[in-house]
Amino acid sequence: MKFSWFHLMPYRWLPADFRERYHGVWVDVPNRLYDPQRGHQLYNEYLDMLEYADEVGFDAVGVNEHHQNAYGMMPSPNLMAAALARRTRKAMILVLGNSIALYNPPIRVAEEFAMLDVISGGRLIAGFPVGTSMDCNYCYGENPATLREKYREAHDLILKAWAGREPFAWNGKYTKLRYVNLWPQPIQKPHPPIWIPGLGSIETWDFCIERGYNYSYLSFSGYKRAQKMMDGYWEHTAKRGKPENPHTAAFFQQVCISERDEDCEREWWPHVDYFFNKCLHLYPGMTGAPGYMSEASMRAGIVAQVGNTTLNLGTNKSWKELCEQRYIVAGSPATVRQQLEELARSLRIGHLALGLHIGSAPADLVNRSTYLCATQVLPQLRPLFAEHEDVAWPKALPAEERVSPGRYREGAPSRVGAAA
């Protein structure tokens, strides 16, 4: 198995009465609640967390894209990934991802991902989410009825741009370009591994299965509630005549680790409560624009986690309920290890993105949890699914061929007496 340390980058200072005063955390949450100086602190604190995950041995560090949102302050995950490409050494860089239908023209994604792959020495995992309805339809004004068609055209253009060795013209329905001539080209050939984040769409399943991409199920309601969804995905894979390879699937799980089981609630509950009762306060009127979910997915009974009022995304649940229903995996390293093994075997996934930061959790608590996870949990789980080829992992340059930051600064004159 491979393990990614995945960050959502929430804002930590939403007011205590946020749920009562504001109808949602996304799209139209007033930006007067945002303090840029505090944001400066948070971005640097969060990048430090990700860099520490690389130091202690996580296989990848992960970021994602959301817009006009207080629980995910990453409208540009590529900016975060660029910082990580320079400041990490071993971990792959998982960008889940760029919502490619929002880029005009989408070769911007091809260029920036190629830059990230080159800077990092071939460590990029390229995520291509369709994007939530809040991001795509309400924040960026995309037509929900044509969003998926535009997405597929953008995908095809990006892959052709990565593969092309001569300039070519692109005459698509949504993008028309006389010259497509990508500089730079990615290190990984034919392209970086592609992961497709999903919330439960038949079309996304088919898209991944047809192309051999990794299907990444992003759920805040934990692995017990994901069982039906992932069983459906594997059944769909079998119907298409494709082998079941656990490495073609990933899952996101929030995790809280303390030294002892009895310490976990005391240390983590305020931050878990902040996340589920503030950061996931969604306005149902914006969670799914008409036309965003296809008829095929609705007929199949697919229920996306976002906007699913029956699940309620953990709101008003107690610590005990969240733990028992596995919205979160929490406890000592031994308890977490046992539950993550249960998760991996039951969902049959070879890639696990761990949310080791949650809500308002401070750096010292998160870093301790990260260390305990890296040293006492992951080593025992990594042998799982070793019999399957990991077809979804980067083919990076060997470590000895990658350039370390500062290499070309050796021997340069220092700025003696420079102003602070």
Side-chain angles (χ1 to χ4, degrees):
M1 282 194 74
K2 300 289 196 314
F3 297 89
S4 303
W5 200 105
F6 196 79
H7 216 313
L8 298 172
M9 298 197 178
Y11 191 66
R12 187 180 287 160
W13 296 282
L14 293 174
D17 59 352
F18 179 74
R19 289 183 61 83
E20 291 71 37
R21 292 182 59 193
Y22 304 98
H23 74 256
V25 77
W26 217 323
V27 182
D28 60 352
V29 55
N31 61 26
R32 65 173 177 272
L33 299 178
Y34 181 75
D35 180 337
Q37 281 191 263
R38 283 178 159 179
H40 167 70
Q41 171 196 329
L42 275 186
Y43 278 138
N44 285 281
E45 182 179 328
Y46 288 164
L47 285 167
D48 280 351
M49 292 178 189
L50 287 155
E51 291 165 17
Y52 181 64
D54 169 60
E55 289 178 20
V56 296
F58 273 78
D59 300 298
V61 290
V63 292
N64 70 344
E65 175 179 343
H66 287 308
H67 301 279
Q68 299 175 194
N69 183 330
Y71 99 78
M73 298 186 301
M74 277 188 284
S76 176
N78 295 353
L79 288 178
M80 293 296 156
L84 293 168
R86 282 278 292 176
R87 299 271 295 180
T88 58
R89 298 292 183 270
K90 298 179 181 178
M92 304 300 120
I93 298 174
L94 171 62
V95 184
L96 276 182
N98 284 183
S99 298
I100 57 178
L102 303 184
Y103 289 77
N104 183 24
I107 54 167
R108 180 77 182 201
V109 175
E111 291 172 328
E112 292 188 3
F113 270 173
M115 289 179 68
L116 288 169
D117 200 50
V118 172
I119 293 170
S120 67
R123 291 186 286 140
L124 176 71
I125 300 170
F128 288 166
V130 174
T132 69
S133 188
M134 284 88 76
D135 288 324
C136 296
N137 307 136
Y138 290 99
C139 293
Y140 269 46
E142 288 292 335
N143 183 341
T146 58
L147 180 67
R148 195 167 291 272
E149 183 182 38
K150 187 176 182 183
Y151 170 91
R152 286 176 177 263
E153 182 182 303
H155 163 273
D156 293 347
L157 172 54
I158 290 167
L159 261 65
K160 186 171 182 179
W162 279 341
R165 289 297 176 268
E166 296 290 340
F168 64 88
W170 182 267
N171 188 30
K173 180 176 180 180
Y174 299 98
T175 300
K176 300 182 187 299
L177 296 168
R178 177 65 185 87
Y179 298 103
V180 179
N181 183 30
L182 200 68
W183 284 73
Q185 285 281 323
I187 284 176
Q188 299 184 77
K189 300 301 180 188
H191 52 73
I194 294 173
W195 292 22
I196 308 294
L199 300 174
S201 162
I202 294 291
E203 288 80 11
T204 302
W205 289 359
D206 286 334
F207 195 77
C208 292
I209 293 166
E210 289 167 6
R211 294 162 178 80
Y213 295 162
N214 175 288
Y215 174 69
S216 308
Y217 182 39
L218 306 184
S219 171
F220 293 130
S221 50
Y223 69 91
K224 282 193 173 182
R225 292 181 179 272
Q227 190 71 60
K228 181 179 179 181
M229 188 75 71
M230 290 308 300
D231 284 349
Y233 174 73
W234 292 122
E235 290 169 9
H236 207 65
T237 299
K239 287 178 183 177
R240 301 294 297 270
K242 302 292 184 179
E244 182 182 303
N245 183 338
H247 298 295
T248 61
F251 185 73
F252 173 78
Q253 177 67 54
Q254 292 181 303
V255 175
C256 304
I257 308 180
S258 295
E259 295 279 359
R260 304 179 303 169
D261 289 330
E262 54 267 32
D263 296 332
C264 210
E265 181 176 1
R266 173 178 54 80
E267 293 182 338
W268 285 95
W269 171 242
H271 315 298
V272 170
D273 181 51
Y274 179 91
F275 180 77
F276 281 102
N277 287 299
K278 289 188 175 68
C279 295
L280 293 186
H281 176 44
L282 304 177
Y283 174 53
M286 291 178 177
T287 56
Y292 174 75
M293 180 170 280
S294 71
E295 180 182 351
S297 291
M298 289 189 287
R299 287 185 180 277
I302 298 296
V303 180
Q305 60 133 5
V306 174
N308 181 357
T309 55
T310 60
L311 296 185
N312 209 25
L313 292 179
T315 301
N316 297 324
K317 289 186 180 294
S318 67
W319 171 267
K320 182 179 179 183
E321 289 172 321
L322 289 170
C323 291
E324 288 180 346
Q325 298 171 22
R326 299 294 191 266
Y327 281 73
I328 57 173
V329 166
S332 67
T335 297
V336 168
R337 185 169 63 242
Q338 179 269 320
Q339 291 185 16
L340 291 185
E341 181 171 356
E342 177 187 322
L343 180 163
R345 293 189 184 278
S346 62
L347 300 187
R348 291 166 281 172
I349 54 98
H351 290 278
L352 188 54
L354 298 178
L356 284 156
H357 174 274
I358 186 167
S360 56
D364 57 346
L365 181 62
V366 174
N367 289 340
R368 175 157 52 87
S369 182
T370 297
Y371 178 79
L372 291 172
C373 188
T375 58
Q376 299 184 38
V377 177
L378 305 191
Q380 288 81 4
L381 300 179
R382 282 202 170 96
L384 292 174
F385 310 120
E387 67 275 17
H388 296 273
E389 179 188 1
D390 192 344
V391 295
W393 200 244
K395 296 179 174 61
L397 292 177
E400 63 272 13
E401 295 181 21
R402 298 181 214 157
V403 176
S404 298
R407 176 176 172 181
Y408 297 105
R409 208 171 57 229
E410 295 171 4
S414 60
R415 296 182 63 203
V416 179

